Structures are given as structure tokens and as C-alpha cells.
Amino acid sequence: MLHWLLERLSKNRDDKLKELEKFLKVNFKDKKLLKKALSHRSFVYYKKGNYLDSNERLEFLGDSLLNFIIVNYLYQKFPLKKEGELSKLKSVIVSEELLARTVEYFNLNKYLLLGPSEEKINGRNKPSLLADMYEAIIAAIYLDKNGGINKAREFVYSTLIYMVENTNIVKEFYNYKGELIKWSKKQNVKVEFKVISTEGEEHNKTFTVELYIDNKKFSQTQANTIKKAQQKLSKEALSIIKRKF
Ligand code: MN
């Protein structure tokens, strides 16, 4: 009975792996490499394996490959943007949040292999684990005999770059607040955000936030998180400021 169950479970896992290979458009010569890319440390320890069977070394390599691919993309895509601007864009695109959102968008989090301890504390939705898996997959594609850098790039283009070009995700994560604060320091003006009211239930709140520049009310907005409201106010303020100065 147990034997039958184990066989079925491992068959399920093989089917899942095949499904993922299809999505990645790579028929891995080394299936273990792909499995390693999906393996969080907790899964490896649970299976009483070695640290080297986890995706951490692949993530280390994938991080650099991703940077390389994105920098190339930005360089080609924006021939008129300065290095500083490209660098800001890059840091948004390769950020943990954006990688995690991409993994979720394409439903790749179901392939993450976790130990029961990590599963219990909702590791499958942890941005850092999802981002690490994404980077490790890039490295696995790159290293496999049937993969290579072009296949790795194709994967990044059809997922992360797809998100960048077809959704508002970059705008959402761009640090407008940081930009406004930098501007205020340069101009020696005081910028302040005040939360003036909080309404609604625990998981459905609306925050009203005001922006003050040099102690004068500049604007006001509402959003479901304080951070979003601050981003919105900062973005508006920057567009007005940039026109005026
Ligand atoms: Mn990472």
C-alpha cells in the first residue's frame, strides 16, 4: 500500500517536472539540475540530503546571469537613457518583489520544493524563496547541455521582461518616494507624509495620507496601504515639480 502511494507521488513529481520543462522550452539533459533549482534548503534537509543539493549555489550564479541579461536588455532598449537611469531601472526589475510577482503570475511557485517546516510557515508565498528559485532556474537552464545562455535569456524574456513590458509593475515598484526625498534634500525643503485617517476592517483598510511640503499641505490621496498612498503622492508631486523647476 505504502509502496504504491510512494510510487504515485514520485510519478506526480516527474509529471510536474515535465510540465515545467515544457514551459521552460528546455528538455533537460540533466533532470537533477532542474530539480536542484527548485529545491529549497528545507526540502533537502527534510530528505536528509546535503546542503549542496539545495538551490543556493545555483541562485548565486543565476543572480549574476539575470543581471547580465537585464543590463543587456536595458542597454539595447533605451539607447538614450543615461547610465544612472538604467541602473535605477535595473534595480527595480531584478528586485525580489518583482521576481516573486513574476513567479506567482506564471504559477511557477507550485514547483518550489519545500520541507514541511517551511510549508507550514507559508514559505511558498515568501518573496525571497520565490525570487531565489527564479534565479536558480536561470542558472540551471544556462548550465544544462540542452540549455545555454540563449535559452536562459528566452526564459527571462517570456516571463520577467513580459511583465515589465505588459503590466504596470515597474511603475508600481519604482521608488518615487525615495526620489522625492532626494529632491527635497537637494532643494533644502521639508517633505512630510501624514496619515490622517484609517478606515475599514483589518484586511480591507483605506488610508488617507497627506503630503506636506515646507509645512504646507500639497496634496492628499487614499490607498489600501500607506506605502501605496505615499508612492502615489510622490509620483504626482514629482511630475509637478519637474515641470516647474
Ligand atoms: Mn537572490
Side-chain angles (χ1 to χ4, degrees):
M1 181 72 175
L2 186 61
H3 178 72
W4 165 81
L5 184 61
L6 287 176
E7 213 161 66
R8 207 185 108 188
L9 289 175
S10 89
K11 193 179 168 295
N12 281 354
R13 187 166 293 145
D14 290 348
D15 287 350
K16 259 188 164 177
L17 221 57
K18 264 188 212 139
E19 188 185 276
L20 177 59
E21 284 184 289
K22 222 167 156 189
F23 180 82
L24 301 175
K25 297 193 181 76
V26 182
N27 176 18
F28 274 76
K29 179 139 178 98
D30 181 359
K31 308 285 182 207
K32 276 195 194 130
L33 192 60
L34 179 57
K35 196 179 162 200
K36 189 189 271 194
L38 309 175
S39 300
H40 180 249
R41 203 189 316 138
S42 63
F43 176 76
V44 172
Y45 291 158
Y46 172 66
K47 290 265 161 185
K48 302 206 172 17
N50 184 308
Y51 152 82
L52 295 173
D53 297 326
S54 81
N55 64 7
E56 291 175 25
R57 277 169 48 89
L58 283 172
E59 183 242 327
F60 168 71
L61 175 60
D63 184 284
S64 279
L65 292 166
L66 179 63
N67 269 284
F68 168 72
I69 291 166
I70 297 302
V71 166
N72 260 295
Y73 163 77
L74 293 171
Y75 182 85
Q76 311 287 351
K77 176 95 181 172
F78 303 109
L80 300 177
K81 278 201 200 295
K82 290 184 184 153
E83 178 269 344
E85 268 180 279
L86 294 177
S87 156
K88 257 185 242 161
L89 266 173
K90 186 202 80 174
S91 66
V92 176
I93 295 174
V94 303
S95 69
E96 190 178 286
E97 293 89 349
L98 223 157
L99 299 186
R101 283 277 283 273
T102 302
V103 167
E104 280 168 351
Y105 184 88
F106 289 97
N107 263 318
L108 300 176
N109 45 347
K110 68 179 175 204
Y111 300 114
L112 179 62
L113 298 171
L114 287 178
S117 56
E118 195 62 44
E119 196 79 80
K120 226 193 260 163
I121 55 170
N122 210 15
R124 195 165 295 280
N125 296 315
K126 251 193 219 163
S128 63
L129 301 199
L130 300 182
D132 288 350
M133 180 185 73
Y134 186 81
E135 290 172 335
I137 291 174
I138 294 169
I141 296 173
Y142 167 73
L143 290 174
D144 192 73
K145 286 235 166 42
N146 293 338
I149 189 69
N150 286 328
K151 292 271 186 186
R153 183 185 285 116
E154 271 171 44
F155 166 60
V156 173
Y157 272 62
S158 63
T159 51
L160 185 57
I161 302 290
Y162 174 88
M163 294 292 282
V164 168
E165 294 190 342
N166 298 288
T167 70
N168 276 326
I169 201 158
V170 170
K171 278 192 192 141
E172 201 181 308
F173 286 108
Y174 194 87
N175 189 1
Y176 292 107
K177 186 186 168 192
E179 191 94 327
L180 182 66
I181 287 175
K182 221 164 87 190
W183 169 84
S184 73
K185 283 189 179 141
K186 220 158 99 190
Q187 301 293 330
N188 207 16
V189 297
K190 194 171 147 204
V191 162
E192 246 183 315
F193 294 94
K194 289 183 190 166
V195 181
I196 60 156
S197 75
T198 310
E199 283 158 58
E201 312 255 301
E202 194 52 50
H203 292 288
N204 187 24
K205 279 188 173 166
T206 303
F207 297 92
T208 304
V209 180
E210 291 178 343
L211 169 63
Y212 284 77
I213 296 182
D214 268 349
N215 300 316
K216 277 186 226 94
K217 186 176 161 185
F218 187 83
S219 52
Q220 177 189 320
T221 197
Q222 289 187 324
N224 60 358
T225 68
I226 295 171
K227 200 178 164 194
K228 271 190 203 157
Q230 291 177 339
Q231 279 281 86
K232 221 158 112 188
L233 291 170
S234 301
K235 191 183 170 195
E236 281 168 11
L238 282 167
S239 75
I240 294 166
I241 286 160
K242 276 182 185 154
R243 258 183 275 140
K244 285 208 171 155
F245 294 91

